[in-house]
Amino acid sequence: MGTKKSLKTINNLKIFSGSANLDLASQICKYLSVPLGDVTVDRFPDGEINVKVNEDIRGADIFLIQPTCPPVNEHLAELLILIDCCRRASAERITAVMPYFGYARKDRKDEGRVPITAKLISNLITKAGADRVITMDLHAAQIQGFFDIPVDHLLSFQVISKYYESLNIPDLVVLSPDVGGIKNARLYSESLKIKLAIVDKRRVGPDETEVGFVIGDVKGKNVVIVDDMIATGGSIVQAANILKEKGAKDIYVGATHPLLCGNAVEKMRNAPIKELAVTDTIPLNENAKSLGDKIKVLSIDELLGESIRRIHLNESISSMFAEP
Ligand code: R5P
């Protein structure tokens, strides 16, 4: 009887993907040994999004893979429409799997007459019919609280730090490019058993920051800068430059979400950075691929696949991040 129940549960797991990161969705399905769900996501002639799920999903436990990376609004609208579609097709539970959560930077009113867009997006996802959310390395962890449904906030540091461990770089120090990133950098410091340094970064405009000084010993050290995302590349390049000024040796970068927009790729090419390690929460844009050996993509497919498996079977997620 028990076996029958668990088999039925496993059979009810279905994974669908919007158009944002089909490669990642396929890899997750491979990990879980389930086929990628059959869905049509295309456009009407006027650009509106047209979605149809081409298989029976009544009573199913649905996981929709869709990072809201550029083009952000297109991918967000696809996700909302996919959720609505699954809800109306009588899915039992719908989980929005957003390895990258766009619009996260507007998470508070830091001046008058501005929106809290991250809250608005959370409301839209919930209102569309999502029952839970899986996301990774949120720009601000408190965005979890914008949802009144369960949010599993995964961390990529294990994947990135394992990579740096395998490189066996001597005299390595981990650096946070701003005060907000200290908690993340500390995870690396603890798992790699290396010292932590911080750059004092101040925002001087919406897309502009300046760095003051480095706290910590970086002279003659190899340094890995860790961050949640690379958008314009400004934060990383400023940190790399000041590290060089302070006498650091080789500089590496470990970042979760490689947005690499505007002229970020050129900045990375010309910066005093030996190698950039990023994850596949979002696909690399064509320009970023031209960085060749300077960029290394680490997959978070197993981390997401295992999380989906555990959520489906009501097993613990937090134990995945516990100390061995
Ligand atoms: C800042 O608070 C974030 O952690 C990132 O450092 C920042 O969003 C990266 O943006 P950019 O690449 O444009 O400097």
Side-chain angles (χ1 to χ4, degrees), residues 30-299:
K30 200 166 161 205
Y31 175 82
L32 291 165
S33 303
V34 295
L36 185 58
D38 185 5
V39 62
T40 304
V41 181
D42 57 21
R43 299 290 182 275
F44 288 110
D46 61 359
E48 288 178 358
I49 294 163
N50 181 26
V51 162
K52 179 165 168 54
V53 171
N54 302 314
E55 58 186 274
D56 180 20
I57 56 168
R58 190 174 289 272
D61 190 10
I62 303 282
F63 291 82
L64 298 172
I65 318 284
Q66 181 82 331
T68 48
C69 52
V72 182
N73 299 332
E74 288 289 317
H75 290 151
L76 175 64
E78 277 186 12
L79 175 63
L80 296 172
I81 295 167
L82 278 163
I83 295 171
D84 183 77
C85 177
C86 293
R87 185 168 56 88
R88 290 175 196 279
S90 304
E92 187 174 300
R93 180 172 68 169
I94 302 164
T95 301
V97 184
M98 305 172 69
Y100 170 70
F101 185 94
Y103 282 116
R105 273 174 291 192
K106 272 286 171 206
D107 62 346
R108 65 192 182 283
K109 276 192 81 167
D110 49 3
E111 57 180 318
R113 302 184 299 281
V114 294
I116 304 180
T117 320
K119 171 63 179 157
L120 171 67
I121 302 302
S122 311
N123 287 348
L124 289 173
I125 290 164
T126 310
K127 194 71 193 162
D131 296 293
R132 64 188 304 143
V133 171
I134 304 178
T135 188
M136 184 171 279
D137 288 350
L138 280 168
H139 181 63
Q142 60 269 24
I143 290 172
Q144 292 168 80
F146 291 180
F147 288 94
D148 283 329
I149 53 176
V151 176
D152 290 295
H153 183 208
L154 310 180
L155 306 173
S156 71
F157 90 90
Q158 278 172 333
V159 173
I160 299 177
S161 73
K162 201 166 152 197
Y163 173 65
Y164 281 109
E165 193 177 356
S166 76
L167 294 187
N168 231 338
I169 303 165
D171 297 322
L172 189 64
V173 168
V174 61
L175 178 120
S176 170
D178 54 39
V179 176
I182 293 178
K183 209 171 161 198
N184 182 38
R186 196 179 291 132
L187 293 171
Y188 287 85
S189 154
E190 283 166 6
S191 77
L192 293 169
K193 299 185 179 42
I194 56 178
K195 292 231 166 88
L196 172 66
I198 304 156
V199 161
D200 171 47
K201 178 181 93 173
R202 290 184 206 106
R203 194 153 286 283
V204 290
D207 297 318
E208 227 186 314
T209 54
E210 64 178 22
V211 297
F213 48 89
V214 178
I215 304 165
D217 183 15
V218 294
K219 192 165 181 197
K221 310 278 185 199
N222 294 306
V223 181
V224 55
I225 307 171
V226 292
D227 211 347
D228 59 333
M229 68 171 93
I230 307 176
T232 66
S235 306
I236 295 291
V237 172
Q238 283 176 344
N241 287 339
I242 195 165
L243 282 171
K244 274 291 166 196
E245 270 173 38
K246 301 290 175 195
K249 287 205 288 199
D250 290 340
I251 299 170
Y252 300 81
V253 174
T256 313
H257 311 298
L259 290 162
L260 294 162
C261 42
N263 61 352
V265 171
E266 284 322 300
K267 284 188 198 160
M268 293 298 132
R269 205 186 310 279
N270 301 324
I273 292 169
K274 187 156 185 189
E275 191 197 64
L276 204 61
V278 296
T279 79
D280 57 355
T281 55
I282 62 180
L284 279 191
N285 60 47
E286 284 310 312
N287 200 12
K289 286 182 192 159
S290 71
L291 285 169
D293 286 348
K294 197 167 180 176
I295 193 160
K296 165 98 186 160
V297 180
L298 308 170
S299 190

Side-chain angles (χ1 to χ4, degrees), residues 307-319:
S307 305
I308 290 171
R309 192 191 68 78
R310 287 176 183 228
I311 289 168
H312 179 65
L313 296 174
N314 282 325
E315 291 177 8
S316 164
I317 296 287
S318 56
S319 60

